[in-house]
Amino acid sequence: MTRIYSPWRLAFVALALFIFLMPPVWLFLSSLKSQQEIFQWPPTIFPAHVTLQNFIETVSRAKFLVFFRNSAIVSVLSALLSVTISVMAGYALAKFRFRGDTLFFLLIMSSLMVPLQIVMIPVFLVLRDLQLLDTLAGIIIAPAATPTGVFLMRQYITNIPDSLLEAARIDGTPEWRILLRIIVPLSIPAIGTLLAFNLVWRWNDYLWPFLVITDQDKWTVQVALANTVGRFGINWPRLLSMSVLSVLPVLVMFTALQRMLMSGLMAGATKE
């Protein structure tokens, strides 16, 4: 019988954990150091004198709360809009039969092969004509519909028994109520997974806000982090503290949605 907890396996797991955890731990510990200790040679892992001055200056002087609010608004609204569009499109493609439905689905999936850089200019021109440049709405609406979300919801909703929908239709239930009362509750694992991924994608998005936003008061956290790196120098204490604060929402979100995320990823992986 094979030993599950063999010494070699435990050593490999410990090494993998060390490799993955060392960068964020180093980032957090470095954010607690003074500027002199950050540049100290040889470098130290643990701060000799723990200080929160970097975080205090970041929050009070660097407009971090403004950037944090902008990122929160963009991430939450864009994720909710993306999930709404994906659920409706996935429901239509999974449970309705119409002429060209397979071709339409293949066209959506084929957009995954189109590089993002190719569609940026057309989308930018559309936003310019709609007067949505330099607005938070421009970075919320543009990336809302994703083929990945449509594919995920379509594949998940396909596994919902048609008998439930037919019984509801016989009772005279309208389609929008079937979507809200049957499809959405049964698709919570997939919806939670898609919501988590969209929150992370939108929170960590840099390129699109960088192209659309020019007003500093509308910067997101990632744009603010990039602009912390100056032409003639880098404010390392501020950069480190802002990086730590920008990671915290993602950790909290994954902790809150961990069970839902795992159930969504494992859905359909096993059969009883």
Side-chain angles (χ1 to χ4, degrees):
M1 183 175 181
T2 304
R3 295 177 58 185
I4 299 178
Y5 299 104
S6 63
W8 289 106
R9 181 170 298 180
L10 292 177
F12 176 77
V13 172
L15 178 61
L17 287 176
F18 176 80
I19 293 175
F20 281 99
L21 291 179
M22 190 58 191
V25 171
W26 183 284
L27 171 66
F28 174 71
L29 294 177
S30 298
S31 66
L32 299 176
K33 300 178 182 179
S34 62
Q35 185 169 0
Q36 292 75 16
E37 191 174 357
I38 292 176
F39 292 99
Q40 178 180 337
W41 188 263
T44 58
I45 298 179
F46 297 96
H49 303 285
V50 177
T51 177
L52 297 177
Q53 189 63 30
N54 299 334
F55 294 94
I56 296 175
E57 292 183 358
T58 296
V59 174
S60 60
R61 300 181 182 179
K63 290 186 179 181
F64 182 79
L65 295 180
V66 176
F67 306 145
F68 190 93
R69 180 200 63 192
N70 295 337
S71 289
I73 293 174
V74 170
S75 301
V76 173
L77 294 183
S78 183
L80 292 177
L81 183 60
S82 179
V83 169
T84 302
I85 295 174
S86 299
V87 170
M88 292 189 296
Y91 175 52
L93 293 173
K95 295 302 181 181
F96 289 90
R97 293 295 171 261
F98 51 89
R99 185 183 299 273
D101 55 346
T102 303
L103 177 61
F104 189 70
F105 177 68
L106 292 177
L107 288 176
I108 294 177
M109 291 299 98
S110 63
S111 61
L112 290 171
M113 297 182 291
V114 179
L116 179 63
Q117 292 77 7
I118 293 180
V119 300
M120 275 187 172
I121 295 178
V123 175
F124 184 89
L125 296 177
V126 171
L127 293 179
R128 183 200 61 184
D129 296 338
L130 295 176
Q131 298 182 354
L132 292 178
L133 294 180
D134 202 20
T135 64
L136 294 182
I139 55 180
I140 291 174
I141 298 175
T146 60
T148 304
V150 174
F151 174 77
L152 176 64
M153 294 310 306
R154 188 256 187 186
Q155 296 304 109
Y156 193 92
I157 295 175
T158 300
N159 296 323
I160 297 177
D162 293 335
S163 57
L164 296 176
L165 309 183
E166 294 299 332
R169 293 189 181 107
I170 291 175
D171 291 338
T173 307
E175 291 297 332
W176 67 269
R177 191 179 294 272
I178 293 176
L179 176 63
L180 294 179
R181 297 293 180 87
I182 299 178
I183 299 299
V184 171
L186 293 178
S187 304
I188 289 299
I191 292 175
T193 303
L194 183 59
L195 181 63
F197 282 137
N198 274 279
L199 286 172
V200 174
W201 291 337
R202 300 287 81 81
W203 182 271
N204 292 330
D205 190 14
Y206 164 74
L207 184 57
W208 190 245
F210 173 75
L211 294 176
V212 175
I213 301 298
T214 56
D215 187 1
Q216 184 174 351
D217 292 332
K218 298 177 183 178
W219 280 357
T220 60
V221 171
Q222 305 306 324
V223 178
L225 279 173
N227 283 272
T228 304
V229 180
R231 179 181 301 178
F232 302 105
I234 302 175
N235 189 337
W236 284 105
R238 179 177 298 178
L239 179 61
L240 293 171
S241 57
M242 288 183 66
S243 299
V244 172
L245 293 175
S246 66
V247 172
L248 291 179
V250 178
L251 294 178
V252 172
M253 184 272 299
F254 265 106
T255 302
L257 299 178
Q258 180 181 8
R259 181 176 301 178
M260 188 180 301
L261 178 64
M262 293 306 299
S263 61
L265 292 176
M266 295 300 296
T270 59
K271 291 184 179 180
E272 297 182 357

